């Protein structure tokens, strides 16, 4: 296996691309009891339209997530969750817009658990009955999401920022869309996206790197598959479809999430650097030591949950910010004014260097989290960059670069706001 | 084995130091521990938030944030936790381990000093806590209390606790009117009492040795006032439900999913609690993906996306909960209780028992692989008065027998059921 040592973060990573196209990474954590294995496919909620054998295929909202639930069923009528739990491991899985990840963390029988993980994710088994049954469970998961104001805020904003990109739609789908899913849909998508060349395996823990590759070779299919071409819709203009959306929900006070689209960067080191630059821009404007954000907090305009972020996914990128507050419109206006001020006046160089130092320290500390490390490595592999170089790249970034990002990518005129407001008082809580 | 040392560094101030060089993060928590009371809970939860706003030397959040940035992005945040009917409140710090700091600066000393400064030298005005900060944090605390309704699952669990333990200290939460009633004068008085009278538990996990940590924190807290106090507060553990028949509570909100929550008393088993056996019992019943609730309520009957249980051993209660369709309430309710009934009859497969045991043991061991997990594990042992290594706890879990689990199931009694339903269902009634 290839091995690479990262002096700045004091970690070593072993990697190898297997004959079947699977990329394997092992980050040894000597002296730890815990091990963590993460097996991911570059297939998420947004991968709904893709080309196979020269033909474009459209699938309903929520297939990737539905598939994630159903992969745990094994052919003998058992469940992989139970198999992994036999050794006390904690198995789970998630589906994001971009990827589906299956993982366990455990302290015993690592090799047995790894075999189970690789096996159940690569062998599909679905029946009409099992698919129907899952519709009830996922239906409840969808309702749980729909009762959640953060969910409403996020998807509200995505629908404003993007006209075509599937990031607009809930990863879990809707009760109606998942009703269209059949065993065939699931088998087809599994065949296309769960081929080893579209996947990555990351292990963090006190394990022997070579053994991980050996087990993967034994358990997984031998042949590589094709990398499906995906369609995320017609190019976006960067201008919101509308500037505002509002929902009333059972919440205590108004909440908002606002933001704007940034120019997408396709992948590789340019994407890594841009994510870091975007993160620093957010930290400078909305972060825990930003005079602007602290003034909003001190004056009572926003609460502790106020903050921002920069995200890149499935061919789009966006800046967002929000929280709970009495008067979202006024906070929104103040943010726009602050961004215009920054664009005109630039950053305070002293503070920029301090924020960089702080961000460096915090990014080093994330290496204590097995989950975050594994997830970061898999995600960066799919995007074509090296996650462990993050802290190094961070140190290279200049304030001019961050300012340029704000000037070119955070345009107040292209912002949109998603609001959740408390219900009008027509039915006071009743019945006890 | 981890190397831990615990010593009293000031009267009723204990420092527990877990020495480890496995992590990039070092961790310190200052926990001021008191009995819960309606008179003090709102103030005690508010104090550390006000302290975090400004100190004599660093008068506002901008100054504090600047100092933390300079310490390579160290975090210091207010913390509060309920430990049965005790309240721990104070500050939590996490920061980059000294050996990773590029210029070899000593972060531990600086962070300890900053913690001491925040705790003991807040920004004041005419001898009182700074009024603007008190008012602003009161407002934020009220907003956060109101916001508990936003997350329906945790809201429902809180409502069950409130109603089930209405006459117990465990059912006391910081209420909006209590916060409204706080004045700068009253909070300053409570602050002084809090500093002087609290039992203090300090935990550190990181690369430094005990003496170094004790020296840094000892210097930072040298001015901590210490008063004579009576007996240490304890938790009143009630073994039987409040009424013979379970109590039922229903509330209606505009939601799509119903929230069903059960409150149980753990019963006789709490006379001499075996914490490891309680964990195994809970894991068999509703604590994970091989539990009876997960496999039956979710997987077999498709009634819920989540159906689980949790034991609050400090108080001797168990809470079980599921998010269900309004119309499936009765079905879910009877299934959740039927699963406990089955356990009482001893209907626990060998694999269910073994899997639960493995999960408990593995969870305990894995917890020691993160700085926060180490802090939580040691804090829990200290508060339970368990004087052993955490690895020994895992061995005790290995020794739990099936009969112990069945005995606990038979000891558990249902006290209350709470259901959060939609407004449309409510209007029909």
């Amino acid at each position: 296996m290839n091995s690479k040592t990262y002096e700045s973060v004091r970690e070593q990573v072993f990697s190898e691309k297997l004959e079947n196209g699977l990329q394997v990474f092992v980050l040894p954590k000597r002296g730890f009891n815990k091990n963590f294995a993460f097996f991911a496919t570059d297939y998420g909620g947004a991968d709904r339209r893709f080309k196979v054998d020269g033909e474009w295929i459209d699938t309903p909202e929520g297939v990737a997530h539905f598939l994630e639930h159903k992969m745990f069923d094994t052919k003998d009528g058992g469940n992989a969750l139970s198999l992994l739990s036999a050794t006390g491991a904690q198995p789970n899985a998630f589906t994001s817009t971009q990827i589906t990840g299956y993982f366990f963390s455990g302290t015993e029988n690592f090799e047995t658990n790894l075999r189970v993980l690789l096996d159940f994710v690569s062998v599909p088994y679905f029946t009409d009955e099992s698919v129907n049954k899952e519709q009830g469970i996922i239906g409840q998961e969808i309702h749980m999401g729909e009762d959640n104001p953060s969910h409403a805020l996020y998807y509200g904003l995505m629908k404003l920022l993007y006209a075509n990109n599937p990031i607009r739609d809930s990863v879990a789908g809707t009760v109606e869309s998942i009703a269209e899913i059949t065993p065939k849909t699931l088998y087809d998508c599994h065949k296309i996206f769960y081929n080893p060349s579209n996947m990555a395996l990351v292990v963090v823990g006190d394990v022997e790197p070579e053994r991980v590759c050996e087990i993967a070779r034994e358990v997984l299919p031998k042949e590589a598959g094709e990398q499906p071409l995906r369609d995320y819709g017609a190019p976006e203009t960067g201008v919101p479809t509308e500037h505002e959306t509002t929902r009333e929900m059972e919440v205590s006070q108004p909440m908002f999430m606002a933001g704007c689209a940034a120019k997408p960067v396709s992948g590789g080191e340019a994407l890594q650097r841009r994510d870091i630059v975007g993160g620093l821009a957010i930290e400078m404007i909305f972060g825990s030591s930003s005079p602007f954000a602290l003034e909003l907090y001190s004056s009572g305009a926003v609460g502790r949950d106020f903050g921002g972020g920069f995200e890149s996914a499935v061919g789009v990128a966006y800046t967002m910010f929000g929280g709970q507050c009495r008067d979202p419109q006024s906070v929104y206006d103040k943010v726009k004014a602050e961004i215009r001020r920054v664009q005109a006046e630039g950053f305070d160089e002293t503070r920029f260097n301090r924020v960089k130092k702080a961000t460096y320290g915090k990014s080093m500390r994330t290496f204590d989290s097995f989950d975050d490390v594994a997830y970061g490595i898999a995600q960066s592999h799919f995007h074509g960059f090296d996650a462990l170089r993050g802290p190094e790249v961070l140190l290279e970034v200049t304030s001019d670069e961050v300012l340029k990002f704000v000037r070119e990518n955070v345009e107040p005129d292209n912002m949109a706001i998603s609001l959740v407001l408390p219900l009008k008082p027509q039915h006071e809580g009743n019945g006890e | 084995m981890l190397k831990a040392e615990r010593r009293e560094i000031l009267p009723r101030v204990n420092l527990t130091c877990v020495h480890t060089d496995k992590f990039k993060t070092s961790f310190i928590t200052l926990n001021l521990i008191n009995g819960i009371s309606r008179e003090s809970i709102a103030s005690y939860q508010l104090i550390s938030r006000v302290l975090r706003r400004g100190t004599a030397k660093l008068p506002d959040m901008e100054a504090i944030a600047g100092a933390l940035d300079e310490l390579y992005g160290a975090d210091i945040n207010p913390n509060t936790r309920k430990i049965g009917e005790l309240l721990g409140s104070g500050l939590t710090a996490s920061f980059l381990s000294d050996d990773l700091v590029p210029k070899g600066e000593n972060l531990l000393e600086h962070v300890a000093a900053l913690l001491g400064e925040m705790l003991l030298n807040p920004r004041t005005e005419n001898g009182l806590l700074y009024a603007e900060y008190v008012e602003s944090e009161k407002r934020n605390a009220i907003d956060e209390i109101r916001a508990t309704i936003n997350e329906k699952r945790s809201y429902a669990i809180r409502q069950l606790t409130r109603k089930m333990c209405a006459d117990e200290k465990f059912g006391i939460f910081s209420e909006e009117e209590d916060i409204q009633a706080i004045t700068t004068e009253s909070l300053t008085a409570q602050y002084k009492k809090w500093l002087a009278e609290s039992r203090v538990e300090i935990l550190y996990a990181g690369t430094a040795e005990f003496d170094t940590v004790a020296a840094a924190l000892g210097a930072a807290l040298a001015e901590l006032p210490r008063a004579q106090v009576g007996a240490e507060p304890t938790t009143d553990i009630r073994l039987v439900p409040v009424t013979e028949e379970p109590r039922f509570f229903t509330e209606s909100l505009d939601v799509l999913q119903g929230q069903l929550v059960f409150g149980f008393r753990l019963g006789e088993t709490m006379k001499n609690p075996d914490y490891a056996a309680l964990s195994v019992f809970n894991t068999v019943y509703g604590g994970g993906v091989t539990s009876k609730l997960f496999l039956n309520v979710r997987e077999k009957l498709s009634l819920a996306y989540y159906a689980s249980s949790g034991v609050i051993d400090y108080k001797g209660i168990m809470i079980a909960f599921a998010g269900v369709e309004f119309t499936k309430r009765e079905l879910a309710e009877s299934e959740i209780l039927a699963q406990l009934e089955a356990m009482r009859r001893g209907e626990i497969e060998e694999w269910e028992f073994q899997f639960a045991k493995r999960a408990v043991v593995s969870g305990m061991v894995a917890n020691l692989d993160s700085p926060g997990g180490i802090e939580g594990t040691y804090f829990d042992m200290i508060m339970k008065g368990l004087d052993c290594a955490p690895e020994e706890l895992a061995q005790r879990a290995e020794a739990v027998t099936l009969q112990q689990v069945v005995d606990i199931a038979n000891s558990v009694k249902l006290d209350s059921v709470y259901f959060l339903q939609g407004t449309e269902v409510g209007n029909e009634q």
Side-chain angles (χ1 to χ4, degrees), chain A residues 11 34 250 289 297 368 431, chain B residues 24-25 69 137 250 254 369:
Chain A
E11 301 286 358
K34 190 166 96 167
E250 200 76 73
S289 67
Y297 180 86
D368 281 338
Chain B
K24 295 183 166 62
T25 308
D69 277 356
E137 289 307 323
T250 310
D254 188 1
D369 277 347

Side-chain angles (χ1 to χ4, degrees), chain B residues 320-337:
Chain B
F321 51 92
V324 299
E325 296 266 7
F326 307 131
T327 53
K328 303 272 174 66
R329 173 197 171 158
E330 279 170 28
L331 211 55
E333 199 171 302
S334 60
E335 184 64 19
I336 288 168
L337 295 173

Side-chain angles (χ1 to χ4, degrees), chain B residues 58-132:
Chain B
L58 303 167
D60 54 30
M61 291 177 84
E62 205 180 324
I64 292 176
L68 290 171
D69 277 356
E70 286 295 354
L71 297 172
Y72 288 91
D75 290 305
I76 297 184
N77 289 308
N79 71 43
T80 58
R81 47 188 154 187
K82 251 182 174 176
I83 313 132
E85 294 181 340
L86 307 182
L87 181 78
S89 50
L91 297 163
T92 295
S94 52
F95 51 100
L96 194 59
S97 291
D98 279 345
D99 56 324
L100 290 165
V101 177
K103 288 178 210 114
E105 292 168 56
N106 185 337
L107 291 188
L108 168 63
E109 228 166 73
H110 287 104
V111 170
L114 189 47
L115 281 170
E117 163 86 7
M118 267 185 209
L119 192 71
L120 302 172
N121 293 307
R123 178 168 179 183
T124 55
E125 183 178 39
N126 308 321
L128 299 173
L129 291 169
Y130 196 62
E132 187 192 316

Side-chain angles (χ1 to χ4, degrees), chain A residues 297 303-305, chain B residues 42-54 61 64 77-80 89-91 118 133-134 136-145 179 187 194:
Chain A
Y297 180 86
R304 281 202 286 193
D305 66 335
Chain B
S43 299
Y44 283 6
Q45 288 188 335
L46 195 64
I47 289 167
S48 42
R49 302 175 56 142
V50 173
L51 300 181
R52 178 66 180 73
R53 290 295 299 271
M61 291 177 84
I64 292 176
N77 289 308
N79 71 43
T80 58
S89 50
L91 297 163
M118 267 185 209
Y133 295 165
V134 174
S136 149
E137 289 307 323
K138 276 170 65 178
R139 208 168 45 222
N140 287 328
I142 289 169
D143 285 347
E144 284 172 29
I145 287 175
I179 298 173
L187 194 69
W194 181 71

Side-chain angles (χ1 to χ4, degrees), chain B residues 277 280 353 357 396-407:
Chain B
V280 176
F353 173 62
K357 213 153 98 169
R396 286 183 207 176
E398 293 279 7
V400 172
T401 65
L402 183 62
Q403 191 56 48
Q404 279 180 288
V405 172
V406 174
D407 289 347

Side-chain angles (χ1 to χ4, degrees), chain A residues 34-51:
Chain A
K34 190 166 96 167
N35 49 65
F36 184 84
F38 185 70
F39 190 28
T41 164
D42 186 3
Y43 172 49
D47 296 305
R48 286 178 9 221
R49 182 174 158 79
F50 41 87
K51 197 174 187 179

Side-chain angles (χ1 to χ4, degrees), chain A residues 150-187:
Chain A
S150 308
H151 185 275
L153 286 170
Y154 176 77
Y155 286 109
L157 180 63
M158 290 303 114
K159 284 184 166 64
L160 294 177
L161 295 188
Y162 301 108
N164 312 305
N165 192 288
I167 200 169
R168 313 169 80 240
D169 303 315
S170 169
V171 168
T174 63
V175 171
E176 294 74 33
S177 76
I178 63 167
E180 295 172 38
I181 295 172
T182 63
K184 184 175 183 311
T185 327
L186 299 181
Y187 277 117

